[in-house]
Amino acid sequence: MSRIIDSGLEELSAVLYKMGELAYHTVLIAIRECVESRDSYNEIREISDTLILMADYVEDKAFELIARFQPVASDLRTIKSYMKIAYDFVRFGRYALDVSHANQKLGGIRNCDKWIISHVKDMGEKVLSMVRLSIDSLKSRDPQLAEKVAQIENEVDKMYFDFLDELIERVDTTIKCAVSSVLIIRYLERIADHSAYVCESIIYITTGKRVILR
Amino acid sequence: MAPKLEVEDLNAWFGTKQVLKNINIKIEENAVTAIIGPSGCGKTTFLRCLNRMHEINPDARVSGKVLFNGLNIYGNGVDPVMIRKKIGMVFQKPNPFPMMSIYDNVVAGLKLNGVRDKKSLDAVVRRSLELVNLWDEVKDDLNKSGASLSGGQQQRLCIARALAVEPEVLLMDEPCSALDPISTAKIEVLIRKLAKTYTIVIVTHNMQQAARVSDYTAFFYLGELIEYGPTKQIFENPKHELTEKYITGKFG
């Protein structure tokens, strides 16, 4: 027999899944915009605003469930973590918007050196895989899957610092390309961090253990 | 700090039916320990074993030890009346003596023990009623019947009666189940206040109440102690699947 609280939790899950897909889409188009000749700023802005509204809804609904049902144990951990995950998804949208904003101001990196384009593309792919992993872990509530984010997070961190090291060595890079690429990879690195936060929350929900995957 | 009560290999029966199975638990001093679990899990029997009230039933039998300040209350020569004085009990339904005044209700235990000095009794009545936050409400009506009070007041009177004989432990068997939310809140505030001086063990069906008032929570199921730990841990992150299922209402 299902409990009354279950329909509320299911509704929250459904909203979070939608947020996850929107967040993934917005990160995807922001990364593409860096290297392709397209302007996605307005679309990204719209999605980012939608994610904020959805996170507000998640918070309101979570408060309602706490007030009405006084949840405990895994229910309480789920509700607390859902509020946190909703915020992480908002950050995905916000950093995607920041990437797009940098592209608008500085023209993206499509005219920069090949090594920059290649590095940003590679890092973008890694970060996207982390976002996907975090969403899949949420949907499947699979702590083993969530744990896998740690390794990719290490790789992304290494790529971030390797890029900065190489940029310092390359004296011929234009200021525009340097600023643009540094901003983009910094935002990507932050998205990676929030993917790890989501996975940490999944492990907390399912096992009660607090782990750090960064 | 040494535990106030240490229960070792406690088993209890009604006739041939075993209702408690090999219970081991240490009850901390000056803390509130909540006992939770579904109906028939042995919560109340466990509570009644802690001050030898279980044996009042002619069918009942107990084995194992309950150490109170290190003394086995089931040891040879231990006086159960002395134990019940030191380990008081408050019941589910407020049960003031209906033919007695508020004053006499509070000092009933003392009078039974032969205390007659009016000055001493007056002091005990005031102290006990103040402890349960009832003095200001009844100080001008001490000669009225205990039964004239509201349900919540009656329950506080019963707690005052239990405190008057200066116990060290207070056992409470669903003390709020017959009370409205306001009276319940007053009793819960009182429980927290009393825990500074007394060791309290409370049986409750209301899990939110256990979460609100207790420092430690024990979950019983089918006569066994399934899980025992700090209340924060039990309600945020229970270790045992049965506990998780029970407190989240996923049983059955």
Side-chain angles (χ1 to χ4, degrees), chain A:
Chain A
M1 190 176 71
S2 73
R3 305 164 304 155
I4 307 174
I5 193 176
D6 287 335
S7 64
L9 290 171
E10 281 160 18
E11 189 186 334
L12 271 186
S13 298
V15 175
L16 273 192
Y17 299 162
K18 269 187 202 160
M19 286 185 78
E21 293 306 333
L22 281 175
Y24 180 86
H25 179 66
T26 193
V27 173
L28 175 72
I29 57 177
I31 291 170
R32 280 187 186 158
E33 192 192 50
C34 300
V35 290
E36 293 171 11
S37 175
R38 64 166 81 190
D39 178 3
S40 305
Y41 183 81
N42 286 334
E43 186 185 356
I44 292 170
R45 160 132 246 154
E46 204 175 300
I47 296 173
S48 175
D49 289 346
T50 304
L51 286 169
I52 291 169
L53 290 176
M54 291 172 90
D56 286 345
Y57 177 81
V58 167
E59 194 176 303
D60 283 348
K61 187 75 193 167
F63 264 60
E64 185 193 337
L65 294 181
I66 291 168
R68 288 167 71 115
F69 300 104
Q70 294 95 47
V72 293
S74 61
D75 293 334
L76 184 60
R77 298 201 301 271
T78 298
I79 291 171
K80 182 197 170 195
S81 301
Y82 275 10
M83 284 195 278
K84 226 165 145 260
I85 292 170
Y87 173 74
D88 290 321
F89 286 161
V90 166
R91 295 313 298 169
F92 288 165
R94 176 66 212 196
Y95 288 123
L97 187 64
D98 286 338
V99 168
S100 186
H101 192 242
N103 289 338
Q104 277 229 320
K105 282 276 176 203
L106 303 161
I109 54 162
R110 59 186 171 276
N111 297 320
C112 297
D113 295 339
K114 273 186 183 165
W115 77 271
I116 292 180
I117 297 172
S118 161
H119 200 105
V120 169
K121 266 187 172 176
D122 289 349
M123 195 163 155
E125 274 173 27
K126 287 258 183 227
V127 170
L128 268 175
S129 74
M130 287 178 75
V131 173
R132 173 50 59 201
L133 186 66
S134 67
I135 297 164
D136 290 347
S137 302
L138 170 68
K139 288 181 178 172
S140 62
R141 284 193 166 218
D142 181 349
Q144 271 103 34
L145 186 63
E147 271 174 13
K148 289 184 181 164
V149 88
Q151 196 196 329
I152 316 176
E153 157 67 11
N154 283 337
E155 291 167 16
V156 167
D157 271 357
K158 186 172 182 310
M159 289 176 95
Y160 174 65
F161 289 113
D162 286 352
F163 182 85
L164 294 181
D165 289 344
E166 188 158 358
L167 192 63
I168 290 162
E169 296 293 317
R170 301 251 191 170
V171 288
D172 55 337
T173 309
T174 65
I175 290 177
K176 213 172 166 181
C177 277
V179 171
S180 183
S181 58
V182 167
L183 282 174
I184 290 166
I185 65 155
R186 175 65 185 149
Y187 297 139
L188 290 178
E189 193 272 335
R190 291 300 296 138
I191 291 170
D193 280 345
H194 282 277
S195 304
Y197 299 155
V198 172
C199 291
E200 287 167 7
S201 292
I202 302 308
I203 292 170
Y204 176 63
I205 290 172
T206 50
T207 69
K209 289 180 191 149
R210 293 179 192 276
V211 297
I212 292 175
L213 298 172
R214 289 154 283 132

Side-chain angles (χ1 to χ4, degrees), chain B residues 86-101:
Chain B
K86 284 290 164 194
I87 307 176
M89 174 87 89
V90 175
F91 299 90
Q92 187 172 355
K93 204 171 161 223
N95 58 351
F97 303 123
M99 305 307 285
M100 281 189 195
S101 67

Side-chain angles (χ1 to χ4, degrees), chain B residues 3-6 27-33 47 50-51 66-69 73 82-90 159 162-163 165-172 194-195 197-202:
Chain B
K4 193 73 180 170
L5 292 165
E6 273 185 88
I27 307 283
E28 296 297 324
E29 186 169 18
N30 291 354
V32 180
T33 299
L47 201 69
L50 295 182
N51 74 344
V66 175
L67 303 177
F68 167 58
N69 293 333
I73 67 170
M82 183 276 286
I83 292 300
R84 287 171 206 146
K85 196 177 144 196
K86 284 290 164 194
I87 307 176
M89 174 87 89
V90 175
I159 297 172
L163 296 177
V165 294
E166 299 189 355
E168 293 177 41
V169 178
L170 211 49
L171 308 176
M172 300 179 137
L194 294 176
T197 319
Y198 304 91
T199 300
I200 295 176
V201 185
I202 176 173

Side-chain angles (χ1 to χ4, degrees), chain B:
Chain B
M1 197 191 295
K4 193 73 180 170
L5 292 165
E6 273 185 88
V7 177
E8 292 178 3
D9 302 327
L10 184 75
N11 294 277
W13 292 263
F14 282 112
T16 55
K17 185 177 163 53
Q18 185 167 7
V19 286
L20 287 177
K21 295 169 192 165
N22 210 32
I23 307 296
N24 287 278
I25 188 171
K26 291 177 180 175
I27 307 283
E28 296 297 324
E29 186 169 18
N30 291 354
V32 180
T33 299
I35 312 292
I36 61 170
S39 297
C41 72
K43 305 186 290 288
T44 295
T45 303
F46 173 71
L47 201 69
R48 292 169 70 87
C49 285
L50 295 182
N51 74 344
R52 293 192 56 173
M53 283 189 71
H54 179 62
E55 68 201 48
I56 288 174
N57 188 315
D59 254 5
R61 191 160 62 87
V62 176
S63 76
K65 287 182 185 171
V66 175
L67 303 177
F68 167 58
N69 293 333
L71 168 79
N72 181 14
I73 67 170
Y74 288 98
N76 287 335
V78 175
D79 175 10
V81 176
M82 183 276 286
I83 292 300
R84 287 171 206 146
K85 196 177 144 196
K86 284 290 164 194
I87 307 176
M89 174 87 89
V90 175
F91 299 90
Q92 187 172 355
K93 204 171 161 223
N95 58 351
F97 303 123
M99 305 307 285
M100 281 189 195
S101 67
I102 293 168
Y103 185 102
D104 286 338
N105 258 285
V106 176
V107 296
L110 288 175
K111 281 189 171 174
L112 270 175
N113 285 309
V115 181
R116 287 284 179 270
D117 176 51
K118 177 82 167 66
K119 223 172 166 185
S120 305
L121 294 176
D122 285 354
V124 168
V125 167
R126 178 163 188 160
R127 186 186 69 90
S128 305
L129 290 174
E130 278 179 347
L131 266 174
V132 300
N133 305 325
L134 193 57
W135 174 253
D136 287 340
E137 294 168 49
V138 301
K139 64 184 174 195
D140 299 322
D141 300 312
L142 293 176
N143 292 321
K144 280 192 180 170
S145 159
S148 67
L149 299 172
S150 71
Q153 288 173 321
Q154 285 186 25
Q155 193 60 304
R156 280 183 283 151
L157 176 62
C158 292
I159 297 172
R161 186 175 64 192
L163 296 177
V165 294
E166 299 189 355
E168 293 177 41
V169 178
L170 211 49
L171 308 176
M172 300 179 137
D173 189 3
E174 296 190 55
C176 302
S177 63
L179 304 182
D180 66 80
I182 303 291
S183 304
T184 296
K186 284 183 180 171
I187 300 278
E188 288 180 359
V189 169
L190 177 59
I191 289 170
R192 289 309 315 170
K193 176 181 157 188
L194 294 176
K196 289 173 188 156
T197 319
Y198 304 91
T199 300
I200 295 176
V201 185
I202 176 173
V203 162
T204 178
H205 264 127
N206 181 334
M207 274 173 293
Q208 272 68 46
Q209 179 170 71
R212 282 192 297 266
V213 304
S214 70
D215 302 292
Y216 300 92
T217 297
F219 170 58
F220 279 62
Y221 185 63
L222 298 177
E224 291 182 48
L225 174 61
I226 304 295
E227 188 167 353
Y228 175 52
T231 296
K232 178 177 159 57
Q233 181 246 307
I234 296 287
F235 282 93
E236 278 182 25
N237 193 8
K239 301 280 176 255
H240 202 288
E241 198 186 344
L242 272 175
T243 317
E244 160 84 26
K245 281 188 173 168
Y246 179 67
I247 65 175
T248 57
K250 289 176 192 159
F251 248 10

